[in-house]
């Protein structure tokens, strides 16, 4: 798993948070977020009350955690804000659901949620009620590829939105079998384990 850009950290971060909520039936606390960040190769450098600062080679993250919500800003370590992202997790009382969104700081470039849809988890059954397309990034001979699991692919296929890139939001995703390429952002998309079949 690599994290050269904020999107490469934000998408697996949102996936880990959603899996935590479905498993533990609550938002992760500060130490649990630190454990997730460690999996994403980000080291905690500073912690003060509700604020934690994490640093990796290519990105930094600021985490504001409260009992009812989490806000994690993921920024390039160069300080460039045009590709900065915000991962927000909270319990929506009106919808009676947990919501996880990945929102760009620069809304002019991408309108909507990265991952196609926000994660919506029913707060009674703790089952997924939306079709987020989240995964992680790997670098190989074919370049940088976004890896999703089979369950995510099957849900995405059922939604009939396979033409929309989950990374940049363009609607010109090109498929070849069960692999895809986005000419807009340049990322490939692959189903986990497919290259070993």
């Amino acid at each position: 798993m690599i994290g050269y850009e904020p999107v490469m950290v934000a998408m697996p971060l949102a996936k880990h948070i959603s899996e935590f909520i479905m498993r533990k039936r609550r938002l992760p606390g500060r130490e649990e977020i630190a454990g997730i960040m460690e999996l994403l190769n980000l080291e905690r450098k500073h912690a003060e009350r509700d604020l934690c600062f994490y640093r990796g080679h290519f990105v930094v993250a600021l985490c504001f955690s409260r009992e009812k919500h989490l806000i994690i800003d993921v920024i390039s370590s160069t300080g460039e804000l045009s590709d900065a992202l915000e991962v927000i997790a909270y319990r929506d009382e009106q919808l009676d659901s947990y919501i996880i969104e990945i929102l760009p700081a620069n809304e002019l470039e991408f309108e909507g949620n990265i991952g196609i849809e926000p994660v919506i988890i029913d707060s009674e059954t703790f089952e997924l009620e939306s079709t987020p397309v989240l995964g992680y990034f790997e670098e190989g001979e074919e370049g940088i590829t976004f890896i999703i699991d089979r369950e995510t692919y099957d849900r995405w296929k059922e939604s009939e939105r396979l033409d929309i890139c989950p990374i940049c939001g363009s609607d010109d995703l090109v498929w070849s079998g069960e692999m895809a390429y986005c000419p807009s952002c340049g990322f490939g998309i692959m189903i986990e384990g497919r290259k070993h079949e």
Side-chain angles (χ1 to χ4, degrees), residues 56-115:
H57 288 294
F58 303 100
V59 298
V60 296
L62 291 170
C63 176
F64 305 90
S65 59
R66 297 278 174 111
E67 189 178 324
K68 294 188 178 182
H69 66 272
L70 285 169
I71 300 171
I72 303 170
D73 293 323
V74 186
I75 304 163
S76 171
S77 59
T78 63
E80 178 61 47
L81 296 177
S82 65
D83 59 352
L85 296 170
E86 192 166 66
V87 179
I88 303 169
Y90 59 96
R91 178 158 182 210
D92 188 303
E93 301 292 341
Q94 290 183 325
L95 292 177
D96 200 20
S97 300
Y98 285 90
I99 313 289
I100 300 132
E101 299 180 89
I102 307 172
L103 302 171
N106 183 357
E107 293 182 6
L108 296 174
E109 289 185 15
F110 186 99
E111 292 183 17
N113 183 80
I114 291 176

Side-chain angles (χ1 to χ4, degrees), residues 149-160:
D149 59 37
R150 171 64 63 181
E151 186 181 344
T152 298
Y153 172 75
D154 291 341
R155 269 195 325 267
W156 186 17
K157 189 174 180 180
E158 283 177 26
S159 76
E160 299 181 351

Side-chain angles (χ1 to χ4, degrees), residues 41-64:
N41 300 315
L42 292 171
E43 183 183 353
R44 184 164 52 186
K45 291 292 187 182
H46 179 75
E48 181 182 309
R49 299 175 96 186
D50 300 329
L51 172 67
C52 290
F53 174 73
Y54 298 89
R55 182 169 180 83
H57 288 294
F58 303 100
V59 298
V60 296
L62 291 170
C63 176
F64 305 90

Side-chain angles (χ1 to χ4, degrees), residues 93-183:
E93 301 292 341
Q94 290 183 325
L95 292 177
D96 200 20
S97 300
Y98 285 90
I99 313 289
I100 300 132
E101 299 180 89
I102 307 172
L103 302 171
N106 183 357
E107 293 182 6
L108 296 174
E109 289 185 15
F110 186 99
E111 292 183 17
N113 183 80
I114 291 176
I116 298 182
E117 290 183 12
V119 178
I120 303 173
I121 301 166
D122 184 280
S123 60
E124 288 186 10
T125 65
F126 287 88
E127 292 179 3
L128 197 56
E129 294 190 325
S130 61
T131 312
V133 181
L134 300 172
Y136 61 95
F137 292 83
E138 281 190 353
E139 189 170 22
E141 292 176 11
E142 63 284 340
I144 296 174
T145 306
F146 180 57
I147 311 293
I148 60 173
D149 59 37
R150 171 64 63 181
E151 186 181 344
T152 298
Y153 172 75
D154 291 341
R155 269 195 325 267
W156 186 17
K157 189 174 180 180
E158 283 177 26
S159 76
E160 299 181 351
R161 299 172 76 188
L162 280 175
D163 59 325
I164 299 173
C165 177
I167 303 158
C168 73
S170 73
D171 60 0
D172 54 356
L173 209 53
V174 178
W175 286 89
S176 175
E178 293 184 334
M179 295 178 67
Y181 173 76
C182 179

